[in-house]
Amino acid sequence: MRNSILIIAAALTLASCGKRVFVSVDGDDNAAGRRRCPVASIGKALELAGKEGAAVYLREGRYEISDGIRLDSVSNLSVSAYRDEKVVISGGVRLTAGDFRKIDDERVVSRLKPSVRDKALMLDFQDNPEDFHGISAKGFGRRPSSSWSEILVDGRPMTLSRWPKDREIQIQKVFCSGVTPRRGTVLTAPPKLPEIRIDNDEVYSFAGDEGLWLWGYFSASYAEDMIPVEKIDSVEHRMKLGLTTKYGFSRCIEGGGHKRWAMMNVLEEMSVPGEYVLDSGRKRMYFIPPENIENLELSMLDTAMVTLTDCSGVLFRNITFQGGRNDGVVMEGCSDCVLENCVIRGVGRLAVHIGPGADAVRNGLRHCEIYDVGSGGVELYGGDRLSLTPGECFLEDCRIHNVNRMDKSYRPAVKFGECGNRISHCEIYDAPSMAVLLNGNNQLVEYCDIYDVCRQIADQAAIYYGRNPTERGSKINYTYIHNVRSGWKKWIFGIYHDDGACGVDVYGCIFNNIETSGANIGGGSDISYTNCIFMNSVAALSIDDRNAINGKEGSYCAGYKKKFENVKYQETPYVNEYPELKNYYEERPENPKRIEVRNNLYYKVDRIWEAYVLNSRNYLHGYEKYPYDISRNPGLIDEEDPMKGLDMKKVREILPDFQPIPFEKIGVRDE
């Protein structure tokens, strides 16, 4: 971290010695760009700043950008709010009360609930149809795409109308599951489309003229989707969908309550301030405004708000980015580029993408907040995993929450890739799916506070990785993972080593109130849990030997061999960094090996181990029987709040070698 700070400090020193350019919403692009005669646009300021050694200062205000900010091969540049003035860069356009009008179609008005017929307004795009963007399919296995047209109030996106508002409908009967590419269904032309039974009479009252969409978890418990409704047959009680999904549809049986759906874009259900419906055929948006409509804007920009390519030493500081329909900030081939004290909110896709590649080094975010984004938080893809070159890209002291407005599953708050990156002192919460996807090698998660995640899902975890035993060498230290529950009581963990995942060391972490178990080892090897606290779960840890089934020829895990060949695992650097890989196939990979679990505290867990196969406990090495009653407090100062620390004298009466956990360092630090 010290090296990163020194690099940024050097960049700022160079910028302060070079050119200074000022921007103001009241400026003039024909001006010189000095403090008393600022330019009006960020684009003009960057043009005046040139390629190296400049500082751009933004005076207070909101700056609309109709094109993304693009910087190529720029070095030692800072773009910041002047003296911490409030600055917003928006990819949207401001709306006023005059942009809305009463709905002029009585057929539409008559379908609204009586209580909102006098309140609902209309935004008409017929004169500018290119500004209207209708709803598109979102979900598991689909590439993230730009969002549809959204209204933001004070930077926060409003809500697409849905039915039911506070629950979902379980799938009871499936007439046709549809094409399911993941499960090998033969593709037909045209493809077979899903068709399900609907037994709720209220659905038949929806005219659907604006276009109805079905959202839900249609089969797999970790894979949500949103697809168009093609037809509702009130006579046969059938609903036919307009697209296929990755897993198709399957009906609910015992334990399958996660298979459920809700209807989206329902005009008849638009009843709460902030709700809207998009009419793609007529290019209109129907909207119930909140009481204060002074700070409304329409999302517009269809590219990344900021794109840095082959840049070095670029700093964005004290700026709020909002209103783009695509990504927030993208860094490609950059080094030492940082977002500091920034907010990214209300964008339609990913907040920040960093990397990939060996040239993507030491980029990161510090003291930032990310929320209300469409399809994931931050991707840290610095470095190169083939050569095991570390990227040293980072997230420090950031808050990330509600990053899955549109794509709910497998769009984590932080997604690791490549090699040697880290997140430190971050707070991650309020997510339907995972918080961290730990792909790549030699990654580091430390001093983080992760909670209220995996709230809609099953077979998932707060920190997850899997299906590639060559992705190893990562560490998870001093992280508090708590309140991870979906209510479906089906495989919800704190950390999930899925489908043969290997080679992660966990040290000094606290697992509290996890629905199934603190950690699940799904058939992998070379995993350790040391000096941790497990409490308030069905089991502290669970283990199985699923590779005995999944590793067979023709299964998805059979593809591991190709992954091994891709990294040349029997050559340098892999043979030196991970010598245990050299004999992976000779050592019966179907059996987990070198699982080290020792020196941990357990409290109020039903049992320490859940073994999903008969001989799983034989795979544990270095595991010593816990020498204390798991129903008794092992030394927590506050049984309800483990973050208040431990009475180390009492702890060491149980485990003499247990080391103190720096509770006070976990979470976001004050700037």
Side-chain angles (χ1 to χ4, degrees):
M1 182 174 74
R2 178 176 173 82
N3 288 338
S4 296
I5 293 172
L6 290 174
I7 289 164
I8 297 304
L12 289 175
T13 300
L14 285 169
S16 65
C17 295
K19 187 179 297 184
R20 300 200 309 168
V21 183
F22 288 82
V23 191
S24 170
V25 292
D26 299 320
D28 183 347
D29 275 354
N30 292 317
R34 294 191 291 270
R35 188 166 66 88
R36 296 185 182 276
C37 47
V39 296
S41 68
I42 297 172
K44 184 63 177 180
L46 294 173
E47 179 185 325
L48 293 176
K51 290 286 188 180
E52 184 174 1
V56 173
Y57 295 103
L58 305 177
R59 302 305 304 266
E60 185 162 337
R62 178 179 173 278
Y63 296 85
E64 287 186 7
I65 53 173
S66 57
D67 293 309
I69 297 170
R70 297 180 181 273
L71 296 175
D72 296 324
S73 303
V74 172
S75 61
N76 303 328
L77 169 73
S78 69
V79 180
S80 60
Y82 180 67
R83 293 184 177 177
D84 295 333
E85 294 179 0
K86 186 177 180 180
V87 170
V88 174
I89 297 178
S90 175
V93 295
R94 191 181 291 279
L95 298 172
T96 66
D99 293 312
F100 295 90
R101 68 173 191 263
K102 289 287 186 180
I103 301 173
D104 58 9
D105 190 330
E106 285 301 320
R107 291 172 300 177
V108 173
V109 174
S110 66
R111 290 166 51 208
L112 294 170
K113 293 184 181 298
S115 60
V116 299
R117 288 174 183 173
D118 293 333
K119 299 176 183 178
L121 299 175
M122 178 176 68
L123 193 61
D124 197 340
F125 293 82
Q126 290 183 5
D127 292 336
N128 302 100
E130 68 279 0
D131 292 340
F132 180 91
H133 302 280
I135 299 172
S136 57
K138 303 283 185 182
F140 182 86
R142 303 186 190 279
R143 297 188 64 180
S145 58
S146 298
S147 66
W148 48 80
S149 296
E150 295 187 281
I151 291 179
L152 283 68
V153 177
D154 292 325
R156 305 207 69 168
M158 297 296 95
T159 306
L160 192 65
S161 177
R162 62 169 275 173
W163 175 88
K165 279 187 168 32
D166 57 356
R167 62 187 177 90
E168 288 86 38
I169 306 298
Q170 291 190 353
I171 298 173
Q172 296 301 320
K173 184 175 180 60
V174 177
F175 295 109
C176 179
S177 64
V179 176
T180 55
R182 183 69 181 270
R183 290 175 174 162
T185 304
V186 177
L187 183 64
T188 61
K192 293 180 180 179
L193 294 172
E195 194 168 358
I196 64 174
R197 181 179 180 87
I198 46 174
D199 292 326
N200 192 297
D201 291 339
E202 194 169 354
V203 174
Y204 305 126
S205 67
F206 304 150
D209 296 346
E210 297 75 29
L212 296 173
W213 289 73
L214 200 72
W215 169 86
Y217 293 83
F218 304 139
S219 184
S221 58
Y222 50 82
E224 57 82 38
D225 213 331
M226 192 170 86
I227 55 178
V229 175
E230 183 175 291
K231 181 182 178 181
I232 295 178
D233 188 331
S234 60
V235 176
E236 297 293 333
H237 287 202
R238 292 178 178 237
M239 182 192 305
K240 187 171 184 179
L241 288 309
L243 284 175
T244 60
T245 71
K246 195 76 170 180
Y247 287 97
F249 279 68
S250 57
R251 71 182 181 90
C252 286
I253 55 176
E254 185 177 354
H258 61 273
K259 300 168 186 178
R260 62 203 192 276
W261 57 266
M263 198 81 76
M264 310 299 292
N265 205 44
V266 184
L267 183 73
E268 290 82 356
E269 290 296 303
M270 191 176 73
S271 58
V272 177
E275 284 189 319
Y276 67 92
V277 166
L278 291 170
D279 187 340
S280 295
R282 304 178 71 180
K283 301 293 187 292
R284 287 178 170 179
M285 176 185 288
Y286 307 117
F287 178 55
I288 301 178
E291 291 185 8
N292 181 7
I293 60 171
E294 293 181 1
N295 295 313
L296 268 66
E297 60 183 310
L298 178 72
S299 62
M300 291 287 289
L301 184 64
D302 194 21
T303 63
M305 297 190 69
V306 177
T307 302
L308 308 180
T309 306
D310 299 328
C311 293
S312 63
V314 174
L315 171 69
F316 282 84
R317 187 176 188 275
N318 280 10
I319 297 171
T320 294
F321 299 90
Q322 66 187 39
R325 295 177 44 245
N326 202 277
D327 295 333
V329 178
V330 173
M331 303 179 189
E332 297 280 2
C334 295
S335 61
D336 307 303
C337 294
V338 173
L339 301 175
E340 185 174 277
N341 293 336
C342 290
V343 174
I344 301 176
R345 64 186 185 186
V347 297
R349 276 191 16 163
L350 184 71
V352 180
H353 171 79
I354 297 175
D359 295 331
V361 294
R362 299 180 301 278
N363 307 296
L365 288 77
R366 185 179 295 117
H367 287 288
C368 293
E369 184 173 15
I370 293 169
Y371 62 96
D372 288 345
V373 297
S375 300
V378 179
E379 292 181 346
L380 287 176
Y381 282 15
D384 177 59
R385 68 177 300 258
L386 293 182
S387 62
L388 296 181
T389 301
E392 300 181 56
C393 294
F394 62 90
L395 243 63
E396 292 176 357
D397 299 293
C398 294
R399 287 185 171 88
I400 308 177
H401 51 103
N402 190 23
V403 294
N404 309 93
R405 290 189 299 109
M406 296 183 174
D407 290 293
K408 304 291 186 183
S409 54
Y410 279 80
R411 301 286 187 262
V414 181
K415 184 177 181 180
F416 280 101
E418 296 300 334
C419 181
N421 306 294
R422 67 177 170 87
I423 60 172
S424 305
H425 300 283
C426 289
E427 183 180 6
I428 303 173
Y429 61 98
D430 187 14
S433 183
M434 66 186 77
V436 177
L437 182 53
L438 194 66
N439 292 136
N441 293 63
N442 302 346
Q443 319 285 17
L444 175 62
V445 179
E446 60 178 0
Y447 300 107
C448 290
D449 184 7
I450 301 174
Y451 59 97
D452 287 342
V453 298
C454 299
R455 295 189 303 149
Q456 282 187 357
I457 210 156
D459 196 12
Q460 198 52 264
I463 300 177
Y464 172 94
Y465 74 117
R467 297 189 175 180
N468 190 344
T470 71
E471 292 186 331
R472 55 179 61 212
S474 296
K475 298 182 182 299
I476 305 169
N477 299 333
Y478 302 126
T479 289
Y480 184 29
I481 303 175
H482 55 117
N483 299 332
V484 182
R485 292 182 172 273
S486 71
W488 301 112
K489 300 185 183 303
K490 184 177 180 182
W491 285 52
I492 297 293
F493 311 107
I495 300 175
Y496 194 173
H497 313 262
D498 194 13
D499 288 342
C502 297
V504 166
D505 296 323
V506 181
Y507 185 90
C509 293
I510 306 101
F511 301 86
N512 181 24
N513 194 24
I514 313 296
E515 190 161 354
T516 306
S517 63
N520 185 57
I521 300 169
S525 301
D526 306 303
I527 294 166
S528 69
Y529 280 81
T530 312
N531 215 84
C532 296
I533 302 173
F534 296 89
M535 54 189 294
N536 295 313
S537 297
V538 175
L541 303 103
S542 48
I543 189 170
D544 61 57
D545 62 350
R546 67 185 65 185
N547 275 8
I549 299 172
N550 294 339
K552 292 181 179 179
E553 198 68 31
S555 72
Y556 51 75
C557 290
Y560 287 171
K561 290 186 178 180
K562 185 65 175 177
K563 295 174 181 178
F564 275 69
E565 293 168 1
N566 288 343
V567 298
K568 301 179 180 179
Y569 72 103
Q570 292 186 327
E571 302 177 17
T572 56
Y574 272 71
V575 72
N576 296 328
E577 184 83 5
Y578 317 116
E580 64 275 9
L581 277 182
K582 185 175 182 180
N583 297 316
Y584 179 84
Y585 285 101
E586 288 73 22
E587 291 184 337
R588 297 187 56 135
E590 64 271 19
N591 296 332
K593 290 170 289 297
R594 298 179 293 276
I595 306 298
E596 303 284 342
V597 178
R598 65 175 73 209
N599 213 45
N600 300 299
L601 293 172
Y602 306 95
Y603 180 50
K604 288 186 177 179
V605 293
D606 293 351
R607 50 194 172 275
I608 293 177
W609 278 99
E610 178 72 69
Y612 292 109
V613 291
L614 183 62
N615 297 317
S616 288
R617 297 190 86 170
N618 297 336
Y619 305 140
L620 305 176
H621 304 279
Y623 169 66
E624 298 173 353
K625 182 175 177 60
Y626 186 60
Y628 197 67
D629 182 355
I630 59 177
S631 66
R632 295 176 60 189
N633 186 345
L636 293 162
I637 293 173
D638 186 334
E639 294 187 22
E640 301 300 320
D641 184 4
M643 296 304 287
K644 291 184 179 177
L646 294 168
D647 180 341
M648 288 304 299
K649 182 178 179 180
K650 184 175 181 180
V651 169
R652 283 180 171 158
E653 290 175 357
I654 306 167
L655 297 176
D657 295 330
F658 195 92
Q659 298 302 306
I661 294 174
F663 296 96
E664 72 284 356
K665 294 183 179 180
I666 295 174
V668 175
R669 300 168 294 187
D670 292 333
E671 187 177 3

